[in-house]
Amino acid sequence: MPPHPDTWLRVLPQGLFCEPGDFYIDPQAGVHRAVVSHGHSDHARPDQAAVLGTPETLAIMTARLGEGRAGRTQQPLTYGHSIEQNGVRITLVPAGHVLGSAQVVLEWQGSRVVVSGDYKRQPDPTCEPFQPVACDVFVTEATFALPVFQHPPAQAEMKRLLESVALFPERAHLVGCYALGKCQRLIAELRRAGYERPIYLHGAQASMCALYERFGIGLGALLPVPRPAKRGETVLAGEIVLAPPSAESNPWSRRLADPVTAVASGWMRVRQRAKARGVELPLVVSDHADWPDLLDTIEEVGAPEVWVTHGREDALIYALAQRGVRGRALHLLGREEDEVEADVAEAVQAEAAGA
Amino acid sequence: MSLPAFADLLERLIFTPGRNAKLALLRRWFATQPDPDRGIGLAAIAGELSFTLAKPSIIRELAAGRTDPELLAMSHDYVGDLAETVALIWPEADPRPNRPPPDLSEVVETLELAAKADIPRIMADWLDVLDAGGRLALIKLVTGGLRVGVSARLARQALADWAKTPVEEIEEVWHGIPVPYRPLFDWLEGRAERPDPKDVPVFRPPMLAQPLETADIAALDHTAYRAEWKWDGVRVQVSAGPGGARLWSRTGEDYSAAFPEIMDSLDFHAVLDGELLVMREGEVAPFADLQQRLNRKVVGPKMLREYPAGLRLYDMLFDGTEDLRPLPFDTRRERLEAWFARVKPRAMDLSPQVAFVSLDQLSALRDGARAAGIEGLMLKRGDSPYVAGRPKGLWWKWKRVPLSVDAVLMYAQRGHGKRSSTYSDYTFGLWRQDENGGRELVPVGKAYSGYTDQELVWLDRWIRNHTTGRFGPVREVEKELVLEVVFDAAQLSGRHKSGVAMRFPRISRLRQDKPAAEADLLETLMAMVENRPEA
């Protein structure tokens, strides 16, 4: 009988550790060997000795963390390919979250665990779609694990954004969004909706867009936000500007013509939350699975046991129990539950670093 | 498609911070929606729609029947608002039933006629054909409390702008026309005469005063004016007659239910203008006491005993059916005094006129009056008719010289709308002894006005460069900057940590020259509290 996964995968302070393989998955601190699911900063930490990830994720880590801090040695592994590490077979499978995001499939002595990282099931023109893999234990996020979270199609939200642009031609539309993934997805979705004008980027968004284009994701005309010609003048009336969610509270935003402040996030589904942030146009666009997609995915992979990394684990574990699936909360440290807050933290760091 | 259209309006109103944008959204609603739905939407926004049978408990039970109760509870806990939780969690049938969503009028008529036992089924049928936004609009509509940041007054202003009719003309008939206001729309669109409210009490837009600036004083012929104290209460209008009685705020908000002791005394036929005050044995209590009463919809006997409200009258608009508004102020005053002597209404007195022979004497009187209930003086022309709005030169308000303290900036918060990238709201503190014999700063107030645009830019930069902590939208700053804060009065308050509350604090000067250690003590502010009970 194959060994139960809890005999060979443990939660240590640094993160989830594969004992026979002697490596961590998405560790929170620098370790000797790490498999990284995707490039967001709460999964891809600096200063790993050896990093395994998709070529896209490794490139993103190098761009964000800088040469030398994104793993002393980097080992790329493309989707669908496998390697063996001390008898543990590692395969990376698309997770549909952002460019290069992968589920880490681990097999040891006939037992299979899928560490899905962050994932979504909605279509996304900028990354490979999620592929379900049957397994004994499915390790899942639970960011939006409450039945109130049901993400509408992204195209419907783009329609609302474009309607607002048409309604307020004298105002700029400042869309707060995460710099990696959400920003490029919004651009690609706007292009799909037929929007062909240049899209304006805050400095924090530009480098990641350039990286996506190097990987063949076409984003159309992108321009930096110009400075007004004269003091007191404003720019970009009638245009769409993408910036980190915190940018709206920054003096930087004063150059924009009476901006309509939008934020693209799954949290925008809850009006009270959007209102409290002073958002004028909440756009419900998320790169995480919503409640129905979490439940459907778990049913699809058919795992008798599910481990929950972060988010609303109590609600998910409760719902799984009713479906006869054993759930367990891993209580991993350091995961950002709120993508918007995570981005604010990141932007503050960037500000401090003089970016 | 009217309920989805209403849902869209609510959604936009909720997230739109600016007054002008809200007015534009409402104008578009009046211009594009059919009757009677536009009137029903207007009533809902103005808070004049209520359903007695559709209670929030029905909504909760409906949702519990369609979802898992545990998950509903967890979701409610997360979202906070029951209506929104139910709107979001309601499981959608796939495909959605092939019925059109209800019109607003269908919702209103059906609920009015429905038996109580049928309401859950009716609501569920509607919820099944709506999307999340529509479900929220429906639940908010029937359970009340839209909370979209639009007052009844703003809704009427939008109506006036849309119809290009003075808002005062709408105010005068508004309360006499039932929902959905068909005669009102017929009149505004030129299909009918202005509706006649007959005996139903309606709100008469009040006459307002202009602030008296130093430059105006020289040009003033003081013999043409009468003086009264300016009371620190709330301006109200009472309207009583055979068709009923009402108590309104200055903006036409209905206060009737909150002040039963006043309503009890309205057994006459007149429209009166006066100040609502909490009074104990004829003595005006601090404004904070009146706030205790204003903040609640229903009042218990304890409230009535501890915070007794009264009305201090200063003008008379109607005596019976006779409209006194065209008459000169002096004549109206005589009529008011005669009426008061004859009727002797309970819970009311007359605001006395202040005798004076020169403006200098009046100025001295004004500065000498430091009673808690007095904000300053009112000057009214003896020959002025009662004109709605703020006509120039007829009535003046002459506030007394403000008090001031030098306080230390402690926290700053970003503003809203145009000020959302600027730290424009300031919490400031004064020094007091702490338990260890040292000194600590205690917050005493918050101000978001008074500074110039240049000062605001300077303050914003200073705050960003001197931040020591962040709490959401609030920054804590180094305790180094002294602000000169002016305010109209200081009053004892059990709700403030410092024990004292300021009336209308605003920033008058930045005192970069003054070290924070030399800012004022809390005792200094305490000494400015008037009518303080003897310790």
Side-chain angles (χ1 to χ4, degrees), chain B residues 339-386:
Chain B
W339 174 88
F340 190 84
R342 189 173 76 242
V343 175
K344 300 187 185 65
R346 297 180 304 279
M348 296 182 200
D349 60 14
L350 285 179
S351 183
Q353 292 196 308
V354 180
F356 65 101
V357 293
S358 69
L359 282 178
D360 285 345
Q361 186 202 0
L362 205 52
S363 174
L365 278 171
R366 180 190 65 141
D367 292 337
R370 283 289 173 195
I374 293 178
E375 276 191 302
L377 285 166
M378 296 295 300
L379 295 181
K380 299 178 177 175
R381 269 195 82 97
D383 58 2
S384 59
Y386 195 94

Side-chain angles (χ1 to χ4, degrees), chain A residues 66 139 159 161 298:
Chain A
V139 183
K159 188 163 162 268
L161 172 57
I298 289 166

Side-chain angles (χ1 to χ4, degrees), chain A residues 175-179 183-184 201-210 242-244 343:
Chain A
V175 185
C177 57
Y178 206 91
C183 170
Q184 296 76 26
L201 301 178
H202 182 276
Q205 319 292 83
S207 65
M208 225 19 82
C209 290
L242 302 185
D343 205 38

Side-chain angles (χ1 to χ4, degrees), chain A residues 146-150 160 164 167-168 248-251 253-254 258 267 269-275 279-282 291 312 314-315 318-319 322 348, chain B residues 10-12 14-17 25 28 68 70-71 74-75 78-79 81 84-85 87-90 92 132-133 135-136 414 418 420-422 460 464 470:
Chain A
L146 276 177
V148 290
F149 289 111
Q150 297 174 37
R160 293 179 51 236
S164 181
L167 190 64
F168 300 110
E248 169 254 330
S249 63
N250 245 296
S253 70
R254 291 179 205 156
D258 188 18
W267 301 112
R269 169 97 169 156
V270 178
R271 204 182 276 252
Q272 313 274 351
R273 197 150 174 160
K275 180 88 183 136
V279 176
E280 201 170 333
L281 180 66
W291 176 254
R312 319 253 128 220
D314 49 352
Y318 170 84
Q322 293 187 313
V348 168
Chain B
L10 292 189
E11 177 94 14
R12 286 184 169 278
I14 282 177
F15 291 115
T16 302
L25 289 166
R28 202 175 56 167
D68 182 287
E70 274 299 308
L71 291 173
M74 286 183 200
S75 297
Y78 175 80
V79 175
D81 179 73
E84 181 164 15
T85 307
L88 292 176
I89 206 173
W90 190 260
E92 295 196 6
R135 293 192 293 265
L136 182 61
R414 290 197 304 273
K418 287 214 184 302
S420 61
S421 68
T422 308
D460 181 64
R464 289 173 192 275
R470 293 163 190 253

